[in-house]
Amino acid sequence: MKIIVFGLGNFGMSLALSLTETGNEVIGVDKQMDKVNLVKDKISHAICMDSTNELAYTALPLKDADKVVVAIGENEGAAIITTAIIKKLSDVKIISRALSPIHDTVLEAMGIYSIVHPEQESADRLTKQINFKTTLENYQLDNNYTISEVKSKPEFHGKTLSELNTIDKYHLNLITIIRKREKTNLMGKKSIVKETIGLPKPDTVLLEDDILVVYGENKNISFYCDCIK
């Protein structure tokens, strides 16, 4: 996809680099030249411009973009004006960062419903990792249900899923399994990567370093984690 990221602070820059690494064409925009210089050789294009100046948008391929991310984090007014200009000039899908509850309200009034709160979401994710002592990553669906990455229990190792009737007592649904694999790049350098095995089958054997991706109630995930020694 072609994605334009406005605001190359910590969040915007990390997002632009991550989107580039996953195969997207990314155009980064910031009014500070030093931030543009930091990423100009790492993403498709980096442009220094004031996104609150509507006339400056002639330099951007807004109509060709698949998505636009307004990641401006240091100036709420600039973020709102930027979003308004993009909304006026194009029908592109906008994902906007909100800096306050009022910012949320303004964005919703503008018809922007893809709203992100990086700091809050990061804090919530870390809180859940701390509370669920042995979970690795979590995706909270609502206040009661979560998708979590958990370590496979020692008594599971070497057994097939059909043999593991004990997993039923935790009332969790197994979505997939993440496994480590050694990978060699074109230069011959070896590294360890994580890959999912797809949908687990009854004859799938659980290994020692397996990470289970499970779905269930928070209380059941906590119970499972408390049982891991």
Side-chain angles (χ1 to χ4, degrees):
M1 292 186 292
K2 179 178 288 187
I3 303 169
I4 304 176
V5 178
F6 289 86
L8 297 174
N10 291 334
F11 170 63
M13 188 176 297
S14 297
L15 180 64
L17 294 173
S18 181
L19 288 169
T20 299
E21 290 171 359
T22 50
N24 299 287
E25 179 185 352
V26 178
I27 300 171
V29 179
D30 200 284
K31 67 177 182 179
Q32 296 184 31
M33 194 66 203
D34 58 332
K35 293 181 179 179
V36 171
N37 285 334
L38 280 174
V39 297
K40 65 180 183 181
D41 297 324
K42 299 175 182 177
I43 63 177
S44 302
H45 305 283
I47 298 172
C48 184
M49 64 169 265
D50 181 359
S51 61
T52 64
N53 179 5
E54 185 176 337
L55 298 177
Y57 282 75
T58 55
L60 290 176
L62 265 185
K63 294 184 179 180
D64 296 328
D66 295 292
K67 293 182 181 179
V68 166
V69 181
V70 180
I72 298 170
E74 66 281 354
N75 188 324
E76 189 170 299
I80 291 171
I81 293 171
T82 297
T83 305
I85 292 174
I86 296 167
K87 185 81 174 172
K88 175 184 176 181
L89 297 178
S90 171
D91 293 328
V92 66
K93 177 177 174 57
I94 302 171
I95 301 170
S96 190
R97 176 185 189 176
L99 304 175
S100 69
I102 292 177
H103 195 172
D104 270 317
T105 302
V106 173
L107 290 173
E108 290 172 1
M110 294 167 60
I112 308 297
Y113 297 104
S114 294
I115 303 172
V116 295
H117 311 84
E119 293 86 357
Q120 178 184 330
E121 290 161 9
S122 179
D124 289 344
R125 189 159 53 248
L126 180 56
T127 298
K128 193 169 290 295
Q129 280 185 251
I130 292 171
N131 289 337
F132 294 167
K133 302 176 185 63
T134 55
T135 61
L136 305 173
E137 288 291 343
N138 298 282
Y139 178 72
Q140 187 169 348
L141 300 176
D142 58 27
N143 291 331
N144 298 311
Y145 289 88
T146 299
I147 295 174
S148 291
E149 294 179 9
V150 298
K151 296 177 181 178
S152 175
K153 291 169 64 66
E155 57 263 38
F156 293 174
H157 303 162
K159 296 181 180 179
T160 64
L161 292 179
S162 61
E163 294 176 303
L164 293 178
N165 295 326
T166 55
I167 200 170
D168 293 336
K169 74 177 182 180
Y170 300 105
H171 305 291
L172 298 175
N173 294 301
L174 181 62
I175 299 173
T176 190
I177 299 170
I178 300 173
R179 283 187 175 152
K180 295 178 181 178
R181 181 177 69 84
E182 188 176 79
K183 180 181 179 182
T184 304
N185 64 17
L186 295 175
M187 302 298 292
K189 184 178 179 180
K190 294 182 179 180
S191 61
I192 301 297
V193 297
K194 293 181 179 179
E195 295 181 339
T196 61
I197 69 165
L199 188 65
K201 300 177 181 178
D203 61 352
T204 299
V205 178
L206 291 179
L207 306 180
E208 183 175 351
D209 293 326
D210 279 350
I211 296 170
L212 312 182
V213 182
V214 298
Y215 159 77
E217 287 190 75
N218 295 340
K219 63 180 182 180
N220 292 329
I221 293 174
S222 293
F223 176 56
Y224 177 91
C225 293
D226 290 340
C227 291
I228 297 178
K229 297 179 181 179

